[in-house]
Every structure is written in structure tokens, then in C-alpha cells.
Amino acid sequence: MTRAGRRYTDAWSAIVDLLVANGVDTCFGLPGDDLELLRALDAAGLDLVPCRDQRNAMYMATGYALQSGRLAVCALGKGPAVTHAATGLLEARESGAAVLVLAAGVPERRRGSGGFQELDQVAVTTPLVRWAHRVGHPDRVVPATVTALTRAMGPPAGPVFLEIPDDVRTAEIVVTGPYPTLPEPLVVESGPVVPGPALAAIRASRRPVVLVGGGMRHRNADGVVERFAERLGAAVFTTASGRGAVDERHPLFCGVAGLYAAAPACELWSSCDLVVSLAGRLEETVVEGGTPWPPVPVVQVNLDPGGLSAEFSGPRVLADARHAVLSWSRALDEDRDAEHADATEAWAGEVAVARKAMALEVEAELARAATLPGIRVAELLAALDATAGGPRVLVQENGLQDMWSYGFPFRVGGGSIVPSEQTPLGFGAAAAIGVKRAAPGHEVTAFIGDGAFLAARADIAVTAPAHGGVLYVVLCNGGYGWLDAQRARLGLDAELYPFTRPGAPPPVMDGSDIHCRVLCDKAALTDEVLAARRFCSRGGTAVLMVPVAPDDILPALHDAGVVPQ
């Protein structure tokens, strides 16, 4: 039977049919009383990853969307379920993750009468999503869902919120006309770029830096950014959100910019003459903190007008950054300027010197760590790198000690998923489950603090039997190290303000599908990590808890003076 003229017993059946037609195979969530959604998912052969916390459901969906580049779906109840998920909505918006949120709602006939869990959910979620809508009639279910799918995928991509009131949810849905379809993407080959200020600035540059933002994720097929950088001899940096968009093994890659940059990388920034920002928002951790932002022109390229900052001088280009890079590369290939080529070669040589200096810093840090008691975070990251097998993804948090993973050793061989500038607690711990669902053939490691682990612990335990395969590396400083460092700087009483409780790590997790160890012995570190990886390769969940010293902090953060002393 064609979809035109089809009858559905309820709204969830119609919505799930649309999801299947558009390639969705997994949902995350914690539904309310309306478990008819589960029946519709079962009938269509779609999986639901069940959650214990609505925030974690949103984080999982966001991780799935960021890793896969596809639509993720999150199912919620109503009222407090929606407000509890608001932090996850904020993170999905800031990360540009294509997430469709399906929520229950008070029946239309009860609205304004003090109905159970009544809330103006559209008003609550509108500031946090690209589009929020309440479906007021059964005839609007299908068109509204198609609109939601279209807006979620963008461009630019982002979360959308669709409320299905209870009386609409239970009504029969009849599709009488042609079934609406999603827009057909028109792939346009990049043509010659029209000469303008941006190309002129790029041509005039002799010491450029290419800064890759999160919007380039899944937009750098065939390494177009790396080839553009090679043509310029440019140093390549990423924002924190942009990690994973470029090949970090490339000889021009110099790490994460701004707050997390190593000293030799900061020297490159201080002597560059142009910054080309691709699909980033020039967030605070990039332009302030450890690396002084140079007083040079900034060429910004973004498909989203909201992503173009007015704080910097230089050309701003409203375009797909991939197409811009391809067009600029073609224009540069037509240039035959020997003097420019000599300058490009000289700058690339300085980049190589800086990379060598960063590699030597890594060696020195590991040598220093070897002389100290206990397992240091640098040693732990080195062990994770040395034991990694095939394709891999590092999923990160943004706490005091886990920020080591942003700047050490300044490159990784696999992909990376990080929280946005909002850095909500527990994002990486839960998002890793969504990342693993999106990339089942990858080794997925969540590098997190114990505060983040505790925030997601219940969901980790629940998903372990059916949705395992993630290695959790938990840095245990007893709570919130960043806040405790600030407390100490102000001389506040640790007993009155116990942001950390040094001592035993969080309670171990039991179960045949969970491998949990506390690591304290340097000599056994590599063997323990290997054993955990083997357990994960068989579908289990491994948790390695590592006590860390309060002073074990990324050197770049010390150098920047942003860590309270």
C-alpha cells in the first residue's frame, strides 16, 4: 500500500513510519505514560536505547548525531521531563546536532485547566532549539513531522522540539494526499570564486593560520581543508568543537587553538598574519585565555549568519565552508607567484619546527611523569594511545583534569567528540553511548571525571547489557576539581565547602557485562588498559577508575594563568 491513503491507529505509528522512511534506526529516551511509542517502534523494527535521566537521553542523541552526521531522535514525557532535558537541548543547539525531540503533552481540551504536568513546553524550549511546535490536530501530525525533520537537518543543523498532545497522540491519522518528502539536497560543484576581499586577503598572506570549527564535521571529505592548508603552507588548528574534522596526523596540524594550545603553538599564533576561520563561532576559549589573539585580519566563513562574529576585522563570508575552500584552492592553483611560494615554504618550515618542539614537550612530560608517584594523566593518555587498535573515537568532558585530553599530546589518531562551549557536566559520559551506537566498529573511549561519571552512572549501568562496548576512563579527584582549586585560591574552608572528597573512587559497578578496575600501579597500566579494551571488543562496558593528584593539570592551563593557584 502506498503511504497516500494510509490509516494509522495513532500518531506515534505515523511518526515512526516517517522516521523509518528517512533512515532513522535508533531512538534514545525516557517516555512518559504513553508507551504506545514503544509498540510503534517495535512494529517498525527500531531500537530504543532506554534511559534513566532525560538529560542523558539528550546527550546520547547528541553524541549519535555528531558522530554519524545523521538525525538522532529523543523521546520524552511532558512537563518536568521536558525541563529536565533542557540542558541537553542547550548542548545540542550549541553543538549543531540534528536531534528530533518527540515529547508528550497535555490534551488540547485540558489546556489552561491545570491539567496534570501541564506546561507551555513550546515557550520553554523555543530559545533552545531551531524550531518548537505543538501539533494541535491529527491532520497536522505528518506535515509537522516532515517540517521538524527538515529543520533539524538544516543547514544549519540543530535540535527541534515536537509536542504531541495526548488527545492527538491517540487519534487515528489518515493520510489522504501525496506523502510529503524531505527536500532533495542539490550538490553543487564549486566553481571559480569571484575575486573579493576574502580571496585577496588569502593571496596576500604569507604566514596564515587555518582554524577549523565544529561546522566542518562531516564536511571535510577527501581532506579538502588539509589540501587548502598545504597550498598556503598554513598551520592548521581546530577549536575544541572542531576536533575530529581534520586528520590530526597531518604534518601541518598543531592542535587545539586558544586556551589549550601548547607554548610552541602559541608562538605560531603570535607571528601569523592572517586567520582563516572555517565554520566556527570563534568562541571565548579560542580567542581568549592562553593564546593571545593576534591583531591580524580574520577571514570568517560560515553557513549560519549567527556564526559570523562582528568582533574581528576582516572579510566575513556567508557560505558553505567546504565550497569556499574548494573555490579558493582552485584560485590559488592558478597563481604562479614564486615569491609567494618561497614565503609559503618558509612558514611551513616554522610550523614543522613548532610541531617538533611540541613532540619534544610530550616526551619531556612523560619522562617527568615517570618520576612521580601514582599514575599521571599524561601516562594514562599515552597508554590509551599505545593500546588503541582500529578506528577510534575519544569522547571528552571539560573538567579540571580531563582537559588534559584537549592538549596532550596535541594530536590523536582517531576522531573526537567534545562538549560545546556550554560544557554541561556528564555530557561525555552519556554521549559516548550514542557515539558507540553511531560507530559500532570504532573503539569508543569516554575520558571523564568522577563527577561526570556519577551524573551518568545509572544510564551506563542500564545500557551496559544491550548497548555496551564503551571504555570509561574515570579520573577520580573526589568531585569538582575546578571549583576546589578556586576555593583553595580564596582560602576558603574545605570542610565548609567540600567540592572534592579525596579518597576512594566512586563505588564499583557490578555485573557480568561490566569490567570495573581501580588503577594505581604504573607498571600494570598498559596491561589493565589492554584487558579493558578486550572486554569492550566483546560488547561489554569497561570502567577504569584512576585516582589523580590535584596538581595534575595540563601545562597550557598553568601557563595561561586560568587555573586558580
Side-chain angles (χ1 to χ4, degrees), residues 176-531:
T176 57
Y179 222 60
T181 60
L182 296 185
E184 178 184 356
L186 180 62
V187 179
V188 180
E189 287 296 326
S190 300
V193 67
V194 176
L199 180 57
I202 291 169
R203 279 176 163 153
S205 173
R206 297 297 183 266
R207 307 170 70 84
V209 163
V210 172
L211 178 62
V212 182
M216 283 305 297
R217 188 180 294 275
H218 305 295
R219 300 295 300 149
N220 189 30
D222 305 321
V224 297
V225 171
E226 290 88 328
R227 292 204 303 275
F228 175 60
E230 290 166 3
R231 182 61 181 80
L232 292 174
V236 178
F237 289 84
T238 70
T239 66
S241 298
R243 290 199 75 174
V246 298
D247 182 1
E248 300 194 359
R249 298 164 297 183
H250 192 277
L252 290 172
F253 181 74
C254 296
V256 179
L259 181 61
Y260 313 106
C266 293
E267 293 179 11
L268 288 175
W269 274 94
S270 65
S271 59
C272 75
D273 65 2
L274 179 73
V275 176
V276 181
S277 173
L278 302 176
R281 287 195 294 263
L282 298 180
E283 52 260 44
E284 182 180 348
T285 54
V286 174
V287 302
E288 297 182 21
T291 306
W293 191 261
V296 299
V298 180
V299 174
Q300 299 180 57
V301 191
N302 208 304
L303 190 62
D304 180 5
L308 292 171
S309 172
E311 306 297 322
F312 303 90
S313 63
R316 297 189 300 160
V317 180
L318 186 63
D320 184 320
R322 175 180 173 82
H323 291 165
V325 164
L326 286 169
S327 296
W328 289 335
S329 296
R330 185 175 293 114
L332 291 171
D333 286 340
E334 296 171 358
D335 295 343
R336 294 293 183 268
D337 186 337
E339 180 182 347
H340 193 178
D342 290 343
T344 295
E345 185 176 349
W347 179 235
E350 292 187 43
V351 173
V353 170
R355 280 176 50 87
K356 178 63 175 177
M358 285 188 278
L360 291 174
E361 285 189 354
V362 169
E363 294 177 10
E365 183 61 40
L366 289 173
R368 187 185 75 87
T371 67
L372 299 173
I375 295 172
R376 306 294 287 189
V377 181
E379 295 174 303
L380 181 55
L381 284 167
L384 289 171
D385 190 57
T387 58
R392 59 193 186 273
V393 184
L394 186 67
V395 188
Q396 294 148 277
E397 286 279 337
N398 195 258
L400 181 62
Q401 260 94 29
D402 39 12
M403 276 192 287
W404 265 100
S405 59
Y406 286 65
F408 186 89
F410 84 81
R411 62 185 184 279
V412 295
S416 178
I417 297 291
V418 305
S420 72
E421 195 81 344
Q422 297 292 338
T423 66
L425 178 72
F427 168 77
I433 296 169
V435 171
K436 185 64 178 179
R437 288 288 302 189
H442 287 56
E443 291 180 343
V444 176
T445 302
F447 196 76
I448 61 178
D450 47 4
F453 175 77
L454 288 173
R457 187 177 188 274
D459 276 308
I460 294 170
V462 166
T463 57
H467 308 286
V470 177
L471 167 59
Y472 290 89
V473 178
V474 185
L475 307 180
C476 301
N477 60 16
Y480 305 119
W482 189 273
L483 291 178
D484 195 63
Q486 297 184 61
R487 176 206 57 76
R489 177 177 63 86
L490 296 175
L492 298 173
D493 190 328
E495 293 299 319
L496 289 175
Y497 305 102
F499 294 115
T500 63
R501 288 289 191 189
V508 298
M509 300 177 69
D510 298 322
S512 60
D513 39 45
I514 297 177
H515 169 97
C516 190
R517 296 287 187 275
V518 177
L519 307 188
C520 298
D521 183 2
K522 286 180 186 285
L525 175 59
T526 299
D527 288 341
E528 289 279 14
V529 174
L530 280 171

Side-chain angles (χ1 to χ4, degrees), residues 118-162:
E118 180 179 357
L119 174 70
D120 188 347
Q121 298 175 163
V122 170
V124 168
T125 58
T126 291
L128 303 175
V129 298
R130 286 184 47 76
W131 186 62
H133 181 68
R134 179 172 58 246
V135 181
H137 190 277
D139 289 350
R140 303 305 305 158
V141 167
V142 169
T145 303
V146 172
T147 300
L149 294 172
T150 303
R151 296 206 180 192
M153 293 304 296
V160 297
F161 177 87
L162 197 62

